[in-house]
Amino acid sequence: MSAELPHFNLSLGDSGYPNLSWLLTPVRNIRTGAENHYNDAHGRTRRIIERTFGLLKARFRCLQLTDGSLCYSPEKLCQIVVACCMLHNLAIRRHVPFLLEEGTGDAPGAAVDPEDNEDEEAEDEDVDNRTSVICQYFQ
């Protein structure tokens, strides 16, 4: 089964999330080389994303909250994150150093490796998109 995938409608999630039709998660029980390649690419991509989040949180403490959520609407959050990204890029171009708060232990770009969720694989229809991606790009 080779269906055309709406790439812009798929998101990347770590193994802590359930496998959903719109969310690509790692394969838990790898059976093929293609699944192994997919997991490797998935992990590399996630590490880049997590490092980026770490950099933004280190530079902009307003993004770092202990409970993991900011009390704004999704639209406002998008504006805040985009503004932080723009300011971060400007700071890089102008060679502005990171100013780490003493005692936080946060290093810029520190990757986060969430623990695996032990839930079983999702329903077959939820695995179809991931299987299609694996077949189309990792064979």
Side-chain angles (χ1 to χ4, degrees):
M1 175 174 138
S2 178
E4 191 64 29
L5 295 173
H7 302 288
F8 54 89
N9 288 331
L10 297 175
S11 294
L12 187 72
D14 63 46
S15 58
Y17 291 97
N19 193 54
L20 302 169
S21 61
W22 52 269
L23 184 67
L24 297 175
T25 58
V27 176
R28 292 184 197 283
N29 301 313
I30 299 172
R31 293 182 289 272
T32 68
E35 289 176 345
N36 190 47
H37 292 306
Y38 165 82
N39 272 7
D40 287 345
H42 187 281
R44 284 192 308 273
T45 303
R46 257 195 26 53
R47 284 188 290 278
I48 291 168
I49 293 166
E50 292 296 338
R51 274 195 306 275
T52 302
F53 290 161
L55 285 169
L56 289 172
K57 286 179 174 182
R59 192 176 293 274
F60 303 102
R61 291 295 177 185
C62 65
L63 297 177
Q64 184 145 21
L65 297 175
T66 56
D67 64 356
S69 65
L70 296 173
C71 297
Y72 296 101
S73 69
E75 294 80 15
K76 185 61 132 183
L77 283 174
C78 286
Q79 292 173 343
I80 291 169
V81 171
V82 167
C84 288
C85 290
M86 292 171 72
L87 290 169
H88 175 69
N89 288 339
L90 183 62
I92 289 172
R93 279 189 226 117
R94 298 209 176 165
H95 306 288
V96 176
F98 280 93
L99 299 175
L100 296 179
E101 293 179 17
E102 203 162 315
T104 62
D106 292 337
V112 177
D113 191 16
E115 295 181 22
D116 287 343
N117 185 344
E118 297 298 324
D119 292 342
E120 293 297 316
E121 286 287 349
E123 299 295 322
D124 289 340
E125 60 268 13
D126 290 341
V127 179
D128 285 347
N129 279 342
R130 182 177 66 194
T131 301
S132 295
V133 168
I134 292 170
C135 289
Q136 189 170 355
Y137 296 104
F138 296 96
Q139 290 293 340

